[in-house]
Structure formats: C-alpha cells, structure tokens
C-alpha cells in the first residue's frame, strides 16, 4: 500500500474501532462479534508498529501507552469544580425546592439525577480529541490524570455526533462497579495488600495510580453529567446537555427525570432509595438541579456550591443480620470491651461482621440478646454499629450477654468500680494487655516502628523475645531473621521472618529511638494520656525526668491536664516497675527529652490552629500535622470557632461541613504545600 493509503486505512480503522467500542462499552449493544472487533484492533496495531509516525493520541491502541508519570501535574480548572450543598432529609429537600421556586418567582422545572458515589473528573477535548483529564482536587486545582483516565473504556478518546471536532470540557464521575470492587478486594486480600473501604475509595485510588496499566486493570467506569459553557453548543437546559453528552459518545446515566413539582421530585428520590441495591454501582443520594441554564445563572453560586442544585443524601444504610455471639476483647488499659459477632452483611458498600458494643450498659440499654436478629448500620458510613434488636423476630432461644467476671485472657478477676461503665482486668501482667501495649507503642501515632505489626509482635511475645517495650531495642538482626512465623513449609521446616525483613525492622526500631517526647509519652499508654495531653505535657516539661519529678499540682497546672490526669501520671511514675522501664529505655538509647529549638524566636505558624480532613496525595495526614507543628502551628482534631484553617483533602469528612458552617477558612493541599515550603501562613 502507498503511504497515503496506509494513513487513510489507519484513520478508517480508528473510526471503526471507536464506533464499535462505543457500541460495546457505552451502549452495551455491540453490532459486531468480539473476534471481528479484535481483528480491527490487530490490524491497526500492525500498521502503527510499522508506521510509528501514524500513531495518534486518540488512537484506541493508546489507551495504555503514555509512560507512567512520577507525579501528577497540577491542573487549574477553567471554572471552579464546586461541591454540592446537602439536604439530609426530605424536609430539607422540600425547603430547598420551595426556596428556588420563590427566588425565581415562577414554577420551576428540575432534573433529578442519581448521585453516583465515585470520584469527580473533568475531561477536556480539543478539536474533538481527549487531551486532558483532571481530578477535582480542591475545586480550583486538580491533578492531571490523563494517562490513567485514557485507559477507561467508556471515556471516548474522540468525540462523535454533535461533539465531533468540538473543543469542550465535560465533567462527571468515575466509579467502580460493585462487582469489580468485590473482585478487586478479593485479589488485594489474596495478595496480602490492603483492601479498599468502599467503591468510592477504590475508584479514587485507581484513578491516582502512578502506573496507568494498574488503572487499566481496575475496571473503572464513568457517567458524565456536565457540559462546561453549554451555551456554546446551543444547549439551554440540563436535560439537553445530558442528551448532547450521550450523542457525543459519553456514557450518561439513564436514570434521569425532569420533574415539575415537589411531589415528582420526592417520588424520584423514594424510587432511587428503593432501587439503590439493585443497581450495579453505588449511589449515595439524588442530585436535583434546576433544569434551565438561564435560571441557574439567575440563582448563581454561594462560595462553595451552586444555589441551583442540591444533593439529597440517603439516610444511613441499615441492614438486618443474625447476632451469633457477643465476645470480649481486652485493651491495653485492661478495659474489657464486648463486641458483636454477626453474620456478614453488606452495608453502605462494604461487608461487615463485627461491631463494638462499647460496654455492658450499652448492651442492656439497647436490649440486645445473643441470637437476636439485629439491625446494623455504619455510623458516618464508616464505623459499624449495632442499632438494636428486631424484637418481633425472637423465638425464645435468645440469651442475655453476661459480662465475664474473669479476664478472658489471663483469668484474673475483673474489676468494675461502682458507677463506672467499664470493667477492667487489673492484672498488670495480663498477656492480652501486654500485647496491646506493645502494639500501641509500635503504632503510627506513637513510636511508629514501621513494619512492626500485630502479627510479628505476637510472635515475638510467644517466643519470649519481647515482654515490655524496652525489649524491642534489644532485638538483634539475627534473632529477628530467625523468628518463626508459626507456619511450616512443605518440607516441614518452619517459615521464618528472614534477613530482608529483619534488616528493615532493625532500621525502623533504630529510627524510633528519636521520636518526639510527646510520642513517647503517648506510647507508654499512661491512662488518660492521649496524644493531645502527651503534647501538652511534653511542651510544659520537656523531658520524662521532669514529668516524673513533677508534683500532682505542677502537672494539673498544665493547660488541658486536670486533677484526674495528673493523678494518673503521678501514679504511673510512682510505680517502681514503670521507673525501671524508663531506665531501660534510656539505657537502650531511646531519647526521653525534647531537644528544644531553644530561643528560636517566633516560629512562622505559631498562634495558628489547623484541622486536617480528607486524604492528601503528597503525604499522610500525620506527616502534614508533624510538618505544621514543626513550624509552630497547633493541629487539633475538631473544628471550632478558634480553628484558623481547615485543610481539605480528597473525600473530606464532616469537618469540612463544620468549617463551612462556622465560616472557618478552608484551604486545599496545594495551599498547604505552599505554606509548608514558604512558611507564609495561608491567606484567610
Ligand atoms: P459532595 O462531594 O458530597 O459535596 O457531592 C458533590 C459531588 O457529587 C460532586 O463533586 C460530584 O463528584 C458528585 N456527583 C455524583 N453524581 C452527580 C450528579 N449526577 N450531578 C452532580 N454531581 C454528582
Ligand atoms: Zn487479663
């Protein structure tokens, strides 16, 4: 074939493949067999191999092609990607409908769409060809995830129909179907990798992979629902925009309804709630939008969200299941915590089988019997919770839970002071408590011994190598390498930790010797001394010795430390075993005093208080908090009027809402990074 003919053929093939992959992936209605389709792709691949100069970015062969990027470049959105205001119940939804109708002063038509629980995405096409895909980020600046999004089969690489040749930005949701999510988590589990909490996190995580071929393997899908600057395409309403998107080759959710009254909107919401479990993807509500773009413009935006749309959120999901047993775990302070063990159920996107019941009073208050059919839900869509029993379904075989009077781990008598809800094992040598204390010491918030997980610690205890936290610092690399993991190989010899992991662990143990004083205090697990109190004590006294020497009055004088905490700290250091432990830690080289940047003068962020919510991409929240504190800022867990800034990452929690309600300034990751690198506080 002549060069020109080859080029023509390649172009024709690309068109054909784009058309048939749209029929197959978007419409789910193929016209040709899989074999015929594969033959087209193979022919194009062949041509492109022989004529690399003919490869185009919108070629279907380029879905996985771009080299993996090290970092996601920031993308400034042409127009801000707003979030949506929420209506938490039908009452709030009706109030919003009435307000928009009143503000517009005429009957309003609304479009109801399902609220897809995924990750938002902005796609830019130039001359009809996909050139960029960006995440929402903080709304102003997102991340360039083009190479990854290109691998999603329902994202057209080139527009067809009314969108053919258009330069346009469209927005929508990337999501992971429920079935793909289950498969992914099974595979993650089999590979010993962490599982995703829900399809939303899985989708967001998959879009932000360093290697596009990983994204390609994740089975992501899309629904598009917004055309930016729709008037450029002669579109006057949201429902026309959805039609335009569909005709241009995008996947658009079919469950859309134009409603002319409150009753119609409510009916759509109720139907959606009813059907949510039958859908192959997760939805967490309904988005109601004013249909007319002219009316949308009249209503405008608040600082954070459009006034012309609202997200009606479904009530927290509840499921019923069978309560198989109530068991008791022993924490590091000896507290006995009953927890429910029930038949696994899927709630709000993940499978749960256990939930804490907190204490015996709580069980009595809820009236739960072992064997009951119970209602479970996920509080804040995260922590599983038992709501209560379905009394009508009892058959008489149920039995009440009795708090054991002996510790399930060591058999010592359990002590429950008058008027206290919590029962405790008070045996200081209790193996369960000891194990939990060791786990706590090594944990992220405390001494952060990277790689020292629960399983290894349990094995170290079993082998008699570690009894208290100072023993971590006496472990030799050889002993660790030879640590049996409690399994045997085919030939009957024990599986051991091995030299590679051992060397890493020794490094982590060494690194943990230099943690800040507050971490060490928290790691000791003194009753009532959480991370915040530990911080206050470290700031006030500067060393373990100074704290150990302080009187209860001195301790109680520290802000945030009352008489109860002071007494607990005193009791800890009055105990000879504990003092001996501190000496052993010092002897092992663990730092027990703060090297204070003495007289360093005013630090750049002193006087400012930050709260972090959502996931950051460039560091963990702990790392961000440490970095802020190192510059003199305070970092707290809850938002109040006194909070200076709330840092919002991907998928933020209720703290963002609280910040909005209180008018506390919100900053994104980019702003945070700027602050950390320049030492300039963010602009309020
Ligand atoms: P939230 O994150 O709770 O503030 O909700 C806003 C987000 O809902 C948007 O950023 C979108 O990513 C998402 N969303 C899902 N489905 C829709 C839809 N049909 N219309 C608008 N936004 C949607
Ligand atoms: Zn015990």
């Amino acid at each position: 074939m002549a060069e020109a003919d080859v080029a023509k053929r390649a172009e024709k093939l690309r068109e054909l493949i784009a058309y048939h992959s749209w029929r197959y992936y978007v419409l789910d209605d193929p016209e040709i067999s899989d074999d015929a389709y594969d033959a087209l792709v193979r022919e194009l691949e062949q041509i492109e191999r022989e004529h690399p100069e003919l490869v185009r970015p919108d070629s279907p062969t380029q879905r996985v092609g771009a080299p993996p990027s090290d970092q996601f470049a920031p993308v400034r959105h042409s127009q801000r990607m707003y979030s949506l205001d929420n209506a938490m119940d039908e009452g709030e939804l009706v109030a919003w409908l009435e307000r928009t109708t009143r503000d517009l002063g005429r009957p309003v038509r609304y479009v109801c769409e399902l609220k897809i629980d995924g990750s938002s995405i902005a796609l830019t096409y130039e001359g009809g060809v996909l050139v960029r895909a960006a995440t929402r980020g903080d709304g102003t600046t997102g991340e360039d995830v083009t190479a990854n999004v290109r691998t999603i089969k329902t994202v057209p690489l080139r527009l067809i129909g009314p969108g053919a040749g258009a330069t346009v930005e469209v927005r929508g949701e990337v999501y992971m179907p429920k079935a793909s999510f289950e498969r992914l988590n099974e595979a993650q589990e089999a590979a010993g990798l962490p599982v995703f909490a829900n399809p939303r996190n899985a989708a967001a995580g998959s879009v932000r992979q360093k290697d596009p071929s990983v994204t390609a393997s994740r089975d992501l899908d899309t629904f598009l629902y917004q055309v930016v600057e729709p008037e450029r395409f002669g579109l006057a309403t949201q429902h026309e925009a959805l039609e335009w998107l569909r005709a241009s080759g995008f996947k658009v959710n079919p469950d859309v309804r134009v409603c002319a009254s409150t009753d119609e909107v409510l009916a759509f919401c109720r139907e959606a709630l009813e059907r949510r479990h039958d859908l192959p993807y997760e939805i967490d509500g309904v988005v109601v939008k004013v249909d007319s773009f002219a009316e949308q413009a009249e209503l405008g935006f608040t600082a954070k969200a459009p006034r012309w749309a609202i997200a009606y959120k479904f009530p927290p999901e509840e499921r019923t299941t069978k309560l198989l047993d109530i068991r008791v775990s022993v924490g590091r302070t000896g507290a006995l915590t009953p927890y429910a063990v029930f038949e696994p159920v899927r709630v709000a996107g993940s499978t749960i089988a256990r939930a804490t019941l907190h204490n015996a009073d709580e069980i009595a208050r809820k009236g739960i019997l072992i064997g009951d059919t119970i209602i479970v839900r996920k509080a804040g869509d995260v922590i599983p919770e038992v709501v209560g029993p379905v009394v009508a379904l009892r058959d008489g075989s149920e039995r009440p839970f009795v708090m054991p009077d002996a510790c399930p781990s060591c058999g010592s008598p359990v002590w429950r002071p008058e008027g206290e809800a919590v029962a405790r094992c008070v045996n200081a040598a209790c193996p369960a408590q000891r194990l939990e204390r060791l786990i706590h010491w090594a944990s992220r918030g405390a001494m952060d011994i990277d790689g020292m997980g629960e399983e290894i610690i349990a094995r170290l205890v079993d082998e008699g190598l570690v009894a208290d936290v100072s023993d971590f610092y006496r472990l030799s690399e050889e002993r660790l390498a030879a640590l049996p993991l409690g399994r045997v190989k085919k030939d009957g010899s024990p599986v051991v930790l091995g030299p590679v992991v051992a060397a890493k662990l020794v490094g982590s143990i060494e690194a943990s010797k230099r943690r800040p004083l507050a971490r060490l205090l928290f790691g000791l697990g003194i009753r009532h001394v959480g991370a915040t109190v530990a911080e206050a004590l470290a700031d006030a006294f500067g060393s373990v010795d100074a704290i150990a020497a302080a009187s209860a009055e001195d301790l109680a004088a520290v802000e945030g430390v009352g008489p109860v905490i002071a007494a607990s700290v005193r009791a800890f250091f009055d105990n000879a075993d504990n003092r001996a432990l501190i000496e052993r830690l010092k002897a092992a080289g663990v730092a027990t005093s703060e090297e204070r940047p003495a007289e360093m003068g005013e630090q750049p962020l002193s006087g400012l208080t930050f709260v972090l919510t959502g996931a950051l991409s460039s560091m963990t929240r702990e790392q961000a908090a440490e970095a802020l504190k190192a510059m003199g800022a305070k970092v707290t867990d809850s938002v109040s009027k006194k909070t200076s800034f709330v840092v919002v990452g991907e998928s933020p929690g209720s703290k963002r809402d609280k910040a909005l309600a209180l008018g506390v300034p919100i900053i994104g990751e980019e702003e945070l990074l700027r602050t950390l690198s320049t030492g300039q506080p963010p602009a309020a």
Side-chain angles (χ1 to χ4, degrees), residues 330 334 336 406-413 424-427 429-433:
V330 185
L336 265 52
C407 168
S409 171
C410 68
S412 306
R424 278 173 206 284
C425 165
V426 288
N427 170 15
C430 171
Q433 288 182 51

Side-chain angles (χ1 to χ4, degrees), residues 83-84 113-116 120 136 173 225 289 313:
S83 67
L84 296 170
E113 297 168 24
L114 299 181
K115 187 166 186 296
I116 313 299
S120 36
R136 175 162 79 175
E173 206 79 356
Y225 49 72
K289 302 171 185 173
K313 291 271 177 126

Side-chain angles (χ1 to χ4, degrees), residues 484-502:
L485 294 180
R487 285 168 269 151
V488 288
K489 294 189 203 150
K490 278 205 192 88
D491 65 7
S493 63
V495 178
V496 294
L497 197 60
V500 179
V501 182

